[in-house]
Amino acid sequence: MAPRDPDLPERVVLLGIRHHGPGSARMVEAALAAVRPEVVLIEGPPEGDALLEHLPSLTPPVALLLHDEAEPSSAAFWPFAEFSPEWRAMTWAHGNGVPVRFFDLPAAASLGEEPGDEPSEPRAVVDPLGVLAEAAGFDDPERWWEDVVEHHGSADPRDLAVAVAEAMGALREEFADQVDARTLRREAFMRQSLRKALKETAGPVAVVCGAWHVPALRVLPPATADAALLKGLPKRKVSGTWVPWSHGRLASSSGYGAGVDSPGWYAHLWECAERGDAVPRWFARACSVLRAEDLPASTASAVEAVRLAETLAALRGRPTPGLSEISEAALAVLCGGDEVPLKLVHEKLVIGERLGEVGEGVPRSPLAADLARSQRRLRFQPSLEGKPIRLDLRKDNDRERSKLLRRLAVLGVPWGRPDTTRTLGTFAEAWQLRWDPGFAVSLAGAARHGTTVEAAAERVLRQRAADAHRVAEAAEVLSEAVGCELPIAVLAGRGALDRCAAAATDAVELLGALPDLATTVRYGSVRGTDPELLRVALHGLLARGAVGLPLACRGVDDDTAERALVAVNGADDAARLAADEEHQAMWRRALLSLVGMPDAHGLPTGRATRLLWESGELDTAAVADRLHRATSWNGGTASGATAFVAGFLRGSAALLAADARLFDLVDEWLSGLAPTDFDDALPLLRKAIGDFSPPERRLLGERVLGSSGSAAVAGEWDEAMAERLSGHVRALLAGVAG
């Protein structure tokens, strides 16, 4: 226990700890058991005091979530693991009937500074552990702390508090000018809270806080000085709850300011502390992880890994093997020197995937409670591990799951993401699921929209519909509303689409909204929406966009032309999949008009030509004529010809490779390009070839090879041209591969 200034009463016990360190946790438990304090003060926001009564309903890791009632998205977490010293102090106090409360700066004073992060971590310019580790000859603060604290099971843990307090006192004196104002305010509030506890009790007072703060609590200056530091702090009405947390979220790699590098390892140390078999049990678990992935990991190899880790520790003068020795032994023995399986062990065990639990009696927002009820009803529990699922929309439970995932996405909770790499048909969906404990903030923010997931999602979609100014925005709202199966939101989205379409004058904008709308039309009946309501909207957009398309492609720059090409592609798909014959014919006439317009940009014109050819509207002779005219330039530019060819090449290469006449025209044009013109054409051509699948590229290569072989047989081999063309091909493929 730390030496104290005479101003600090002897009955105050200062326990400086390392956040989320199992050695510190053991020290705290032992010290509390020896001192038997009348009250325990713990670093944390006092708004959380009212939630401490729910400790028996919690299974760590968990986090205290506090948010501004006026702006719920302004929120912060205070995480705790089973091996966190603060958690051990809370549970000891609760189990022994001792009052416990948080005594750090209120959350009301810090919310909004770093939303979603833990705001009460010190922001000193100096890394105190780094300085101490460097002074002791260590290049890694984590390893230094392991040696000094985590593995000193034989030493009296209370003595460690004395050593740490002395070291921190020296550091605070040396770096006093580098402590920021926020840290000073926090410590002023801690002292004010300590004064209050001293007035209310006559017996021992235990203080559990970050070791960096201990020197500032050993002296109690006049209360007026601390009051002056705290003057003018922000005031907010704050609400909160407990939420499940994860070891991954406790890791430094997650961005958590007070995180540790190896929460899973520390949990293992804590669980094995009494048995003293942490190392062999660790390698047994590592073998299980590897075998689960069909990797060899025998019991004999685990025994050998234990021996190697212990030998490494002895050679380095360490009391027991630390994580570095264990990782090296695992790499050498279990993984055969391969970093890939070692990375798997790191993710599964060193970081860990444990998810905490919060009991039913813990207060939560009505929205969060509704989500929990839905998860139970649908047998759809969250998991930290990525999980692919397939939903059959003809089954009630699967359809309800789909609705829940889509409604949560509207609320900013992307628990599931549609897997667009799998095509399963009209009545099936593929999803990738992964729960993130941080979704609790999004749920807190969404609670203002409604008390149920359904009501909140409907309100958000209706508001987005009212705020929509562009056709694409309105079409997106309509599509999401149909997927969520929210009829009122569907009507709002349809109304927004009509309003935005009436105001739109850009044909490319109108056509750009068609793909989403076409998908919505196709699946609307599955979702309980009248397809005709949606098809009428699609026909209206298609008709207006088709009329304006040719003019919209005249005299435009390359960026606008690229947008037009994408819109033409999407509109063509939409017309084929969802439009009636009358509107499909109207669309084909628009494409013919575009192709016949001499001053239209080559990208959308070339693409329109390709689409008309594939649909049979233009035969090979007609396409060859247009391609010849485009590539012969006729007073035009090389860039114009390149744009047309690039637009024509977009999509599949199979038909082009199969048609000798068109292939030869493109080949002849490409072969005749001057070096400078070819360099200018590369970006567009690479983009076109980049759309081809590997088998299609191989097919084209074989076609080129066959053409070259025929020329050689006929005695027409031109070595200079071959060398130039091979350079062209290498340049094209280099861009695609990159």
Side-chain angles (χ1 to χ4, degrees):
M1 284 157 279
R4 49 184 58 74
D5 188 279
D7 292 340
L8 191 68
E10 290 285 335
R11 60 192 180 97
V12 177
V13 180
L14 300 177
L15 299 173
I17 55 98
R18 179 187 183 223
H19 298 294
H20 313 304
S24 292
R26 290 193 294 271
M27 175 194 71
V28 166
E29 281 196 331
L32 294 177
V35 173
R36 310 296 298 184
E38 286 191 16
V39 64
V40 178
L41 303 180
I42 298 175
E43 183 177 324
E47 293 96 335
D49 287 350
L51 296 167
L52 290 174
E53 64 178 294
H54 299 289
L55 286 175
S57 300
L58 308 176
T59 302
V62 293
L64 177 66
L65 168 62
L66 298 177
H67 61 84
D68 185 344
E69 288 190 2
E71 185 53 55
S73 61
S74 178
F77 299 104
W78 283 261
F80 303 98
E82 185 179 10
F83 51 83
S84 301
E86 301 93 332
W87 179 261
R88 304 318 308 177
M90 284 187 277
T91 54
W92 181 91
H94 191 274
N96 288 273
V98 175
V100 57
R101 54 180 180 256
F102 294 116
F103 83 126
D104 200 351
L105 198 67
S110 55
L111 286 177
E113 294 182 353
E114 294 183 0
D117 201 0
E118 197 276 320
S120 64
E121 188 54 22
R123 298 181 184 172
V125 176
V126 179
D127 173 13
L129 297 183
V131 174
L132 293 178
E134 184 179 358
F138 288 79
D139 59 358
D140 179 12
E142 292 277 339
R143 179 168 176 175
W144 171 81
W145 191 274
E146 280 190 39
D147 276 4
V148 173
V149 178
E150 311 301 352
H151 297 307
H152 264 278
S154 60
D156 184 342
R158 291 174 294 177
D159 293 339
L160 296 175
V162 176
V164 172
E166 288 291 349
M168 289 297 167
L171 284 178
R172 287 292 292 255
E173 289 179 7
E174 183 175 354
F175 297 103
D177 60 336
Q178 298 188 40
V179 180
D180 64 14
R182 185 172 179 278
T183 297
L184 295 176
R185 286 195 300 272
R186 291 181 59 206
E187 292 168 347
F189 193 89
M190 290 180 185
R191 288 190 293 268
Q192 293 284 54
S193 301
L194 180 53
R195 292 186 182 97
K196 180 181 178 183
L198 288 170
K199 288 181 181 179
E200 295 174 349
T201 61
V205 176
V207 176
V208 180
C209 64
W212 181 249
H213 301 299
V214 168
L217 303 181
R218 293 166 65 184
V219 178
L220 291 179
T224 53
D226 286 337
L229 279 174
L230 298 170
K231 187 176 181 181
L233 289 177
K235 295 182 179 180
R236 299 179 178 90
K237 193 169 183 181
V238 173
S239 293
T241 185
W242 291 100
V243 296
W245 211 242
S246 69
H247 281 169
R249 276 276 184 164
L250 284 169
S252 302
S253 57
S254 71
Y256 169 43
V260 293
D261 289 344
S262 50
W265 166 245
Y266 281 164
H268 180 77
L269 286 179
W270 178 260
E271 293 163 359
C272 297
E274 294 184 1
R275 294 191 300 264
D277 57 353
V279 176
R281 281 184 176 270
W282 177 266
F283 283 114
R285 294 177 62 196
C287 286
S288 296
V289 167
L290 295 174
R291 285 195 294 267
E293 298 295 327
D294 294 327
L295 297 172
S298 66
T299 302
S301 63
V303 172
E304 184 60 30
V306 171
R307 290 173 181 163
L308 179 56
E310 291 175 342
T311 301
L312 289 172
L315 289 172
R316 295 167 181 173
R318 303 197 67 182
T320 59
L323 184 56
S324 57
E325 287 78 24
I326 284 178
S327 296
E328 291 173 33
L331 177 62
V333 179
L334 301 184
C335 303
D338 189 348
E339 295 279 353
V340 174
L342 184 66
K343 183 179 179 182
L344 177 65
V345 172
H346 181 85
E347 292 174 351
K348 297 283 188 178
L349 298 184
V350 177
I351 300 298
E353 298 175 334
R354 186 175 303 176
L355 181 66
E357 297 179 7
V358 174
E360 290 298 318
V362 178
R364 62 185 77 188
S365 71
L367 179 64
D370 178 69
L371 172 58
R373 286 192 298 270
S374 297
Q375 290 170 332
R376 289 193 300 272
R377 175 173 56 84
L378 300 175
R379 302 183 299 282
F380 206 26
Q381 293 306 308
S383 171
L384 297 177
E385 296 189 49
K387 177 184 177 182
I389 64 167
R390 180 184 184 278
L391 299 178
D392 185 341
L393 302 183
R394 292 168 296 187
K395 298 179 180 179
D396 290 343
N397 197 69
D398 279 9
R399 181 168 168 178
E400 289 297 315
R401 286 180 170 185
S402 174
K403 286 160 55 176
L404 179 63
L405 292 173
R406 292 177 181 277
R407 291 169 180 178
L408 286 173
V410 168
L411 299 178
V413 182
W415 177 16
R417 297 182 185 276
D419 185 352
T420 57
T421 64
R422 300 166 62 190
T423 303
L424 302 178
T426 304
F427 294 99
E429 294 178 341
W431 294 81
Q432 286 289 334
L433 302 183
R434 184 186 294 274
W435 184 262
D436 186 332
F439 291 159
V441 171
S442 299
L443 283 172
R448 67 181 183 273
H449 298 301
T451 58
T452 66
V453 174
E454 178 180 0
E458 180 181 282
R459 183 175 179 184
V460 168
L461 287 172
R462 290 174 63 189
Q463 186 60 51
R464 284 174 52 193
D467 294 340
H469 296 292
R470 300 184 63 83
V471 175
E473 295 171 350
E476 183 179 34
V477 172
L478 178 57
S479 176
E480 292 181 30
V482 170
C484 292
E485 298 193 37
L486 298 171
I488 295 178
V490 169
L491 293 176
R494 173 62 202 277
L497 184 63
D498 291 343
R499 170 172 50 80
C500 293
T505 57
D506 182 1
V508 173
E509 178 187 352
L510 291 167
L511 296 176
L514 289 176
D516 273 351
L517 192 54
T519 302
T520 306
V521 170
R522 291 185 67 197
Y523 299 118
S525 58
V526 179
R527 295 290 183 178
T529 301
D530 181 4
E532 283 307 309
L533 175 72
L534 306 174
R535 189 172 284 108
V536 169
L538 182 141
H539 287 161
L541 291 182
L542 181 61
R544 289 189 57 203
V547 170
L549 175 63
L551 290 178
C553 295
R554 295 178 61 187
V556 297
D557 58 25
D558 290 343
D559 289 340
T560 303
E562 177 64 29
R563 286 180 50 236
L565 183 149
V566 172
V568 166
N569 260 342
D572 190 74
D573 287 340
R576 285 187 295 102
L577 296 174
D580 57 21
E581 291 186 6
E582 177 185 350
H583 287 85
Q584 288 180 10
M586 179 189 299
W587 173 245
R588 289 193 294 271
R589 289 195 296 272
L591 292 180
L592 286 168
S593 178
L594 172 59
V595 168
M597 187 167 287
D599 54 349
H601 196 285
L603 271 178
T605 303
R607 186 58 186 154
T609 302
R610 172 68 176 268
L611 292 172
L612 289 168
W613 176 49
E614 291 180 350
S615 68
E617 194 72 25
L618 292 179
D619 59 20
T620 297
V623 173
D625 180 61
R626 283 169 170 77
L627 193 58
H628 178 73
R629 278 186 286 149
T631 55
S632 63
W633 303 348
N634 291 331
T637 63
S639 61
T642 299
F644 183 92
V645 172
F648 184 82
L649 290 177
R650 288 285 185 91
S652 170
L655 288 175
L656 179 64
D659 193 301
R661 184 176 180 183
L662 295 181
F663 181 89
D664 289 343
L665 278 172
V666 175
D667 184 42
E668 180 182 354
W669 169 75
L670 186 62
S671 303
L673 285 177
T676 55
D677 290 334
F678 182 80
D679 290 342
D680 291 338
L682 267 180
L684 280 176
L685 294 177
R686 281 174 175 167
K687 192 166 187 177
I689 293 175
D691 289 342
F692 297 167
S693 66
E696 288 173 336
R697 294 178 201 165
R698 186 166 53 251
L699 180 64
L700 275 182
E702 292 170 353
R703 180 73 176 81
V704 171
L705 183 62
S707 177
S708 300
S710 299
V713 170
E716 301 172 356
W717 184 257
D718 186 331
E719 291 190 8
M721 176 178 288
E723 177 61 28
R724 187 171 77 252
L725 289 179
S726 66
H728 288 352
V729 172
R730 284 194 295 270
L732 278 171
L733 294 179
V736 172

